[in-house]
Amino acid sequence: EAQVTQNPRYLITVTGKKLTVTCSQNMNHEYMSWYRQDPGLGLRQIYYSMNVEVTDKGDVPEGYKVSRKEKRNFPLILESPSPNQTSLYFCASSYSMDVAGTEAFFGQGTRLTVV
Amino acid sequence: KQEVTQIPAALSVPEGENLVLNCSFTDSAIYNLQWFRQDPGKGLTSLLLIQSSQREQTSGRLNASLDKSSGRSTLYIAASQPGDSATYLCAVIKAAGNKLTFGGGTRVLVKP
């Protein structure tokens, strides 16, 4: 089954404790991206990757890191989480961002709470 | 800068009534427009994808239209059911862009 898998689904952590949210896709997609969803602000892009070893900042990259060492994986790293990073996070993938008709697939989301 | 708007923000209808959800965008230079469904606290499920060269797409009770020149898309859900209660989001991909730009969503409640 074609899917984007995020782990963990729920996470409560303390301020300053480094954490990683994993994302994996099994569709051989080149493009992967992270979004966060907050009430009243909607979905905003954090980072994206056009292919292996190619990553770039989205609209709200501060406080986050990513890496793309393999095509299927795109982990989101919070080096020193703060309460303002409490949010619902989504990983997405698609074959390309440069071809009309390319559908985007989303993971089930990770609910992160930083206390 | 691309902006996507969905009006109304919330909608309540009795079961069986047809649903009409609106999405407007400011920059017509798009590749795709995609409609998603989101259940509370859950992920995004893709419903329909319309390429910029298409005017509509259909899947079961769902029909989405696209008028690129006026920057509008409409999602029709026929004969609504309580199970259709969810938030519906539209998103566009700008030509040669790097992200989906989302609207704020329309929260739908279908009453039995």
Side-chain angles (χ1 to χ4, degrees), chain A residues 80-106:
Chain A
S80 183
S82 62
N84 65 13
Q85 293 178 297
T86 293
S87 187
L88 181 59
Y89 290 85
F90 290 103
C91 180
S93 77
S94 62
Y95 173 72
S96 171
M97 270 287 149
D98 209 22
V99 176
T102 303
E103 186 176 5
F105 295 83
F106 279 75

Side-chain angles (χ1 to χ4, degrees), chain A residues 31 35 37 45 59 101 103, chain B residues 32 34 38 46 98-100:
Chain A
Y31 176 88
Y35 293 82
Q37 185 178 35
Q45 189 188 54
D59 297 322
E103 186 176 5
Chain B
N32 304 323
Q34 197 166 350
Q38 185 178 23
S46 179
N98 56 47
K99 66 177 180 183
L100 289 160

Side-chain angles (χ1 to χ4, degrees), chain B residues 28-48:
Chain B
S28 62
I30 63 169
Y31 273 153
N32 304 323
L33 186 142
Q34 197 166 350
W35 282 94
F36 295 89
R37 168 187 172 136
Q38 185 178 23
D39 294 285
K42 301 285 182 64
L44 278 68
T45 301
S46 179
L47 297 174
L48 288 168

Side-chain angles (χ1 to χ4, degrees), chain B residues 6-11 20-22 35 86-89 104-108:
Chain B
Q6 291 184 250
I7 295 173
L11 186 60
V20 180
L21 307 178
N22 298 304
W35 282 94
T87 296
Y88 292 84
L89 294 152
T106 295
R107 190 170 68 254
V108 171

Side-chain angles (χ1 to χ4, degrees), chain B residues 4-82:
Chain B
V4 181
T5 304
Q6 291 184 250
I7 295 173
L11 186 60
S12 179
V13 299
E15 182 177 1
E17 193 167 297
N18 295 334
L19 283 164
V20 180
L21 307 178
N22 298 304
C23 172
S24 62
F25 47 95
T26 54
D27 187 345
S28 62
I30 63 169
Y31 273 153
N32 304 323
L33 186 142
Q34 197 166 350
W35 282 94
F36 295 89
R37 168 187 172 136
Q38 185 178 23
D39 294 285
K42 301 285 182 64
L44 278 68
T45 301
S46 179
L47 297 174
L48 288 168
L49 170 72
I50 311 177
Q51 297 183 43
S52 59
S53 59
Q54 297 174 324
R55 292 195 64 84
E56 68 176 342
Q57 279 287 347
T58 299
S59 176
R61 294 185 293 114
L62 276 59
N63 174 275
S65 66
L66 175 64
D67 184 343
K68 203 172 73 162
S69 60
S70 68
R72 293 180 184 177
S73 176
T74 303
L75 178 65
Y76 301 89
I77 303 177
S80 62
Q81 303 168 359

